[in-house]
Amino acid sequence: DAGITQSPRHKVTETGTPVTLRCHQTENHRYMYWYRQDPGHGLRLIHYSYGVKDTDKGEVSDGYSVSRSKTEDFLLTLESATSSQTSVYFCAISDATTAYEQYFGPGTRLTVT
Amino acid sequence: AQSVTQLGSHVSVSEGALVLLRCNYSSSVPPYLFWYVQYPNQGLQLLLKYTSAATLVKGINGFEAEFKKSETSFHLTKPSAHMSDAAEYFCAVSDRYRQGAQKLVFGQGTRLTINP
């Protein structure tokens, strides 16, 4: 399995509080992605990174920000969590050496009450 | 924009029967296509991928998929279902993003149930 960890694995938080999810990789892959998974929607891309300090928006980026200060870490921040952000969040990585394959982390289940 | 449609959110088959999970895509150029599997409380695992080589692609766990450009389809099959195949399956199409990043567009997923 690709070396991808996500923390925390589960979190319950209240509406309006800030939340940061962490994705850590040990594969030295260039590209990192954050997705959210919701029933009936599959996975949808939130943000992605193509290098240290290089990030861009995906299709559902409103309400989320990201940062990547090191190759191995990609942080997803909800500045002020809302109930609509209750979801399962997945991190993925890829690299030129993996061609077009993305490898996924185990996920973080976030509940906003 | 690219899109993927998986026909049937739930599919149920008997153990030993044929598994057929349907996927249609919309793309203006030859796409890269993937099937991922997700077991309960786990991340996604790549089953197989099509990247413009052979149209019949073999993957792990006995699964295969056939790319049919004329039908814009990439259906997943397995000749004989096993109880361990029970999971959710996602079809995805890939598109290029900035600096070579790959955007995956996923279908809604199909939950496969295997009956003993």
Side-chain angles (χ1 to χ4, degrees), chain B residues 47-107:
Chain B
L47 269 181
L48 49 81
K49 64 179 180 181
Y50 167 77
T51 56
S52 74
T55 57
L56 182 62
V57 181
K58 294 187 183 299
I60 62 172
N61 302 336
F63 284 93
E64 62 182 35
E66 185 173 10
F67 172 69
K68 292 187 176 180
K69 184 178 179 180
S70 61
E71 299 177 6
T72 61
S73 69
F74 190 56
H75 301 331
L76 181 71
T77 60
K78 182 174 180 177
S80 177
H82 192 273
M83 296 298 293
S84 62
D85 295 326
E88 188 152 21
Y89 293 79
F90 293 93
C91 181
V93 63
S94 176
D95 198 0
R96 282 294 188 98
Y97 254 177
R98 184 187 297 184
Q99 297 287 331
Q102 292 288 331
K103 172 186 178 180
L104 286 179
V105 176
F106 286 87

Side-chain angles (χ1 to χ4, degrees), chain B residues 26-49:
Chain B
S26 68
S27 174
S28 58
V29 297
Y32 297 112
L33 292 159
F34 305 82
W35 276 100
Y36 282 87
V37 61
Q38 184 181 33
Y39 299 102
N41 300 312
Q42 295 187 24
L44 276 70
Q45 178 182 3
L46 182 67
L47 269 181
L48 49 81
K49 64 179 180 181

Side-chain angles (χ1 to χ4, degrees), chain A residues 36 44-48 56-66 76-77 85:
Chain A
R36 60 177 290 172
R44 293 176 291 175
L45 183 66
I46 305 171
H47 282 280
Y48 68 99
D56 205 351
K57 297 179 180 180
E59 62 180 308
V60 290
S61 59
D62 287 348
Y64 302 95
S65 63
V66 291
L76 177 70
T77 297
Q85 293 175 312

